[in-house]
Amino acid sequence: MTKNDSSKPTNFIHQIIEEDLKNGVNDGKVVTRFPPEPNGYLHIGHAKSICLNFGTALKYGGQCNLRFDDTNPEKESQEYIDSIVSDVRWLGFEWSGDIRYTSDYFDTLHEWALHLINEGKAYVDSLSAHEMREYRGTLTEPGKNSPYRDRSVEENLDLFEKMRAGAFDEGDCVLRAKIDMAAANINLRDPVIYRIRKAHHHQSGDKWCIYPSYDFAHGQSDALEGVTHSICTLEFEDHRPLYDWFVENLPVPAKPRQYEFARLNLNYTVTSKRKLKLLVDEQKVNGWNDPRMPTISGLRRRGYTPASIRNFCDMIGVTRSNGIVDMGMLEAAVREDLDANAPRAMCVLDPIKLTITNMPEGELAWFELPAHPKDEAMGIRKVPFTRNLLIEREDFAEVPPKKWKRLAPGEAVRLRGAYVIRCEEVVLDETGEVVELKASFDPQTHGANPTDYKPNGVIHWVSADNAVPCEVRAYERLFTEPNPDGDKERDFHEFINPESLVVYPRAHAEIGLKHAAVESRYQFERQGYFCVDPDTTENRMVFNRTVGLRDSWAKIQGK
Ligand code: ATP
Ligand code: MG
């Protein structure tokens, strides 16, 4: 991506930065960071944060770091790190320098914890977790000082060293900043800055058995990296005074500032790694990259393009007011991109045999169709017309309703890009189900205006003799409720859509798609946008439906 893309919409963070630049703050530098915790795959909410952090650095010619916020080793893994790295790159962003880890700074953070102890601003507390909660007070009542709050510097240094050396068990004690147990902001009531975790760490191995808390690590890591604008979501607003307290009370090399924006909430899905992990662990979906998941890797597999996700993030903007964005907006973003860029093809999802009685067996006529109706540069595609064709079962009605625009007994339709045909015979099996249609074509009708054959409409088709048998997976929303997370009484599991995946095992795509690469995207005419799934093998192609041609969900909802 190019820098200084001033066509990108601006937002309140950019206004703050422009003000800073005008006043010469931070020597005119803009440094941001994207700080994922490697405890799950990234989701569409993270895409908003990625676009904001990397996009801001690009816009102002600054730098954006990728930093893994890895202070909870039990929940983290290399698999998550790898997936996050690959998702950020796929979205089209490149970080400044090497990948960074909060664990890179564990030595410095430990020194700074000692610094606070020496200054009388931190103490080892031996209250149990339960007692600590009791002493903390509530929103309306102040907290109480811990009986261990006045331990001497020497005792604290000794106990903290014992914590570090593994002399205590998890939960025996913690290191707390000594701030104010009566502070109105609960985050300032002597927050925990180090706790014991006897866990192997994916980066630092077994070097540490004490780990810094998020609050203690985050701002200091920002300072060490020279981050100027530390952008996070609104739930950290109440942590800002603590962020500032550490920056004020430690010998940090820079003074970063924290700014908060509203997180992205999307309807008909959940954007919480914890809940997404449950869906994966309980096998409600087929892994983190299941195309129904709102993860970046799920959207990718579903057929979303990086540009469509970036455009979506631009469309929703960056504000400080929480709201819920309609899934339809995300779908509209990919539809717009694929409408302009995806070549067209025909694919029959649920086929019914159509025999062209006046086309001799073994004969073949090639039709040339544009790959894209509005983009000649995409060239043409060749589609074979033969005696044995397939059309969509739902494009035929034995007893057509009024204003039927498709095929019916005795009626004529145009086969897209080819001839007009008239249905002359309907073959039923013993159960009365239609198994075959017989029709004749009028050779006059290709290109010319039909005279005798007045077609009802246009339907898609493929040659049964020359098509690619494939499986098509059509996805619906993962939840039936707009806000599956919003009902305190009911668990989000209750709203999982049992019909979120519909498989068409006998689909047939036009022959030109035979060697289509995994992830290549097409518009299947009259159907929607589809992409080649990685489950594709040499013998069997698999397509995913990214999105329909129109917002069919709005129609279902009666909007
Ligand atoms: P989750 O709640 O899904 O576990 P998280 O906030 O714990 O998310 P992190 O890995 O800590 O996930 O997030 C990395 C960055 O992405 C943070 O700066 C966070 O504020 C931001 N982020 C996470 N979720 C969203 C969201 N829904 N909208 C915007 N930004 C988000
Ligand atoms: Mg987090």
Side-chain angles (χ1 to χ4, degrees):
M1 249 166 293
T2 51
K3 83 176 195 190
N4 273 328
D5 189 350
S6 52
S7 63
K8 288 273 161 72
T10 186
N11 57 53
F12 80 97
I13 303 242
H14 293 167
Q15 284 161 11
I16 290 168
I17 290 176
E18 281 169 28
E19 197 62 23
D20 286 347
L21 290 174
K22 211 165 68 196
N23 297 325
V25 179
N26 304 313
D27 301 326
K29 280 202 300 261
V30 176
V31 182
T32 58
R33 85 286 170 266
F34 174 62
E37 192 177 339
N39 61 353
Y41 282 55
L42 297 181
H43 54 62
I44 184 71
H46 295 110
K48 178 176 179 181
S49 176
I50 291 171
C51 289
L52 176 58
N53 279 296
F54 285 93
T56 298
L58 280 166
K59 182 172 167 124
Y60 296 102
Q63 74 173 63
C64 179
N65 298 346
L66 173 60
R67 182 206 313 148
F68 286 101
D69 178 11
D70 55 348
T71 55
N72 284 309
E74 311 96 318
K75 294 197 173 147
E76 300 164 2
S77 76
Q78 191 62 41
E79 178 197 347
Y80 296 142
I81 292 176
D82 295 342
S83 74
I84 291 169
V85 166
S86 130
D87 286 349
V88 173
R89 282 223 173 93
W90 180 75
L91 277 174
F93 297 106
E94 196 51 56
W95 46 92
S96 164
D98 291 338
I99 293 172
R100 296 152 209 254
Y101 297 86
T102 299
S103 53
D104 296 342
Y105 315 130
F106 280 175
D107 284 324
T108 309
L109 291 167
H110 178 247
E111 271 171 40
W112 285 345
L114 294 174
H115 176 90
L116 288 181
I117 295 175
N118 279 312
E119 298 273 303
K121 291 176 182 166
Y123 62 98
V124 173
D125 197 353
S126 305
L127 288 181
S128 69
H130 174 74
E131 289 166 324
M132 268 184 65
R133 256 194 308 280
E134 283 191 351
Y135 276 73
R136 189 179 299 132
T138 64
L139 284 174
T140 49
E141 292 160 50
K144 281 189 301 190
N145 286 355
S146 162
Y148 304 102
R149 198 174 196 260
D150 293 320
R151 279 174 163 160
S152 68
V153 169
E154 290 66 36
E155 190 181 3
N156 282 319
L157 287 173
D158 178 55
L159 289 171
F160 187 51
E161 172 52 22
K162 288 197 171 111
M163 277 173 69
R164 193 203 59 75
F168 295 116
D169 288 335
E170 288 189 14
D172 280 355
C173 45
V174 292
L175 184 70
R176 300 177 73 172
K178 196 192 252 187
I179 306 181
D180 180 4
M181 287 306 291
N185 183 336
I186 292 185
N187 292 299
L188 294 177
R189 294 185 191 167
D190 293 9
V192 172
I193 58 180
Y194 262 95
R195 66 258 194 271
I196 301 168
R197 288 280 181 280
K198 300 209 164 162
H200 182 81
H201 190 285
H202 47 96
Q203 301 302 313
S204 58
D206 296 314
K207 177 169 177 192
W208 298 94
C209 65
I210 52 170
Y211 291 96
S213 64
Y214 170 88
D215 284 317
F216 187 61
H218 203 89
Q220 281 55 266
S221 304
D222 286 341
L224 284 165
E225 292 178 5
V227 167
T228 55
H229 299 79
S230 180
I231 307 169
C232 64
T233 38
L234 276 175
E235 64 271 24
F236 292 101
E237 185 172 18
D238 289 346
H239 295 238
R240 184 167 7 113
L242 181 55
Y243 184 102
D244 292 340
W245 189 89
F246 287 128
V247 168
E248 283 307 319
N249 286 279
L250 288 169
V252 289
K255 290 197 189 306
R257 300 206 48 136
Q258 174 183 302
Y259 300 93
E260 309 89 19
F261 69 101
R263 54 191 294 131
L264 166 66
N265 298 304
L266 202 56
N267 63 10
Y268 295 102
T269 193
V270 292
T271 44
S272 142
K273 274 185 283 186
R274 194 179 61 76
K275 287 180 183 143
L276 295 173
K277 185 169 187 307
L278 278 178
L279 292 172
V280 174
D281 291 346
E282 295 166 353
Q283 299 182 5
K284 306 284 184 212
V285 293
N286 301 315
W288 284 96
N289 70 343
D290 185 300
R292 291 166 293 183
M293 291 280 272
T295 50
I296 309 286
S297 52
L299 292 168
R300 174 177 182 175
R301 188 163 176 189
R302 175 88 170 241
Y304 276 74
T305 57
S308 67
I309 295 176
R310 293 195 305 262
N311 289 344
F312 168 74
C313 291
D314 279 349
M315 264 154 57
I316 58 176
V318 177
T319 68
R320 283 179 55 86
S321 46
N322 277 313
I324 298 179
V325 173
D326 194 279
M327 178 68 91
M329 262 177 94
L330 180 60
E331 294 170 345
V334 73
R335 207 178 274 124
E336 187 185 339
D337 185 359
L338 296 179
D339 178 37
N341 297 307
R344 275 36 176 179
M346 288 192 283
C347 179
V348 176
L349 303 189
D350 179 17
I352 181 168
K353 193 168 149 58
L354 171 70
T355 306
I356 306 294
T357 51
N358 57 342
M359 183 75 182
E361 192 77 59
E363 247 181 58
L364 190 146
W366 287 98
F367 285 97
E368 291 193 345
L369 277 70
H372 193 288
K374 285 172 255 168
D375 188 351
E376 263 182 45
M378 284 200 194
I380 53 133
R381 57 192 226 257
K382 289 191 165 177
V383 181
F385 181 84
T386 60
R387 180 179 173 87
N388 304 300
L389 305 182
L390 300 171
I391 64 166
E392 207 71 66
R393 186 166 283 277
E394 64 170 34
D395 280 338
F396 174 76
E398 261 187 289
V399 185
K402 271 197 187 123
K403 296 188 183 161
W404 181 246
K405 287 273 184 282
R406 297 173 262 174
L407 198 59
E411 298 292 327
V413 288
R414 176 175 292 280
L415 297 179
R416 189 169 188 94
Y419 300 117
V420 173
I421 56 147
R422 184 183 296 281
C423 178
E424 287 158 347
E425 195 184 332
V426 180
V427 183
L428 306 177
D429 68 7
E430 58 280 7
T431 68
E433 192 174 343
V434 180
V435 288
E436 184 185 352
L437 303 171
K438 294 187 178 175
S440 62
F441 77 96
D442 178 352
Q444 306 275 306
T445 56
H446 180 240
N449 276 333
T451 45
D452 293 352
Y453 285 61
K454 287 220 168 51
N456 263 336
V458 183
I459 64 172
H460 60 276
W461 57 282
V462 295
S463 159
D465 306 303
N466 286 281
V468 190
C470 54
E471 174 180 321
V472 171
R473 299 173 183 167
Y475 302 98
E476 293 296 342
R477 291 168 180 189
L478 189 49
F479 293 93
T480 52
E481 272 293 307
N483 191 359
D485 238 354
D487 192 331
K488 293 274 175 293
E489 308 289 294
R490 296 172 70 184
D491 183 83
F492 72 99
H493 285 87
E494 288 183 46
F495 304 115
I496 293 178
N497 180 2
E499 283 151 31
S500 58
L501 169 59
V502 179
V503 177
Y504 295 93
R506 287 179 303 278
H508 285 74
E510 68 178 60
I511 192 71
L513 299 198
K514 192 162 188 174
H515 300 294
V518 169
E519 286 196 359
S520 49
R521 306 172 181 93
Y522 295 90
Q523 184 195 92
F524 289 169
E525 295 185 274
R526 301 181 63 234
Q527 305 270 18
Y529 298 95
F530 295 77
C531 72
V532 182
D533 188 84
D535 280 349
T536 293
T537 63
E538 215 168 301
N539 302 319
R540 185 162 187 76
M541 293 201 79
V542 178
F543 288 93
N544 294 320
R545 184 173 70 199
T546 311
V547 67
L549 285 181
R550 277 169 296 277
D551 189 352
S552 55
W553 186 267
K555 224 165 40 197
I556 294 166
Q557 302 288 293
K559 280 185 205 155

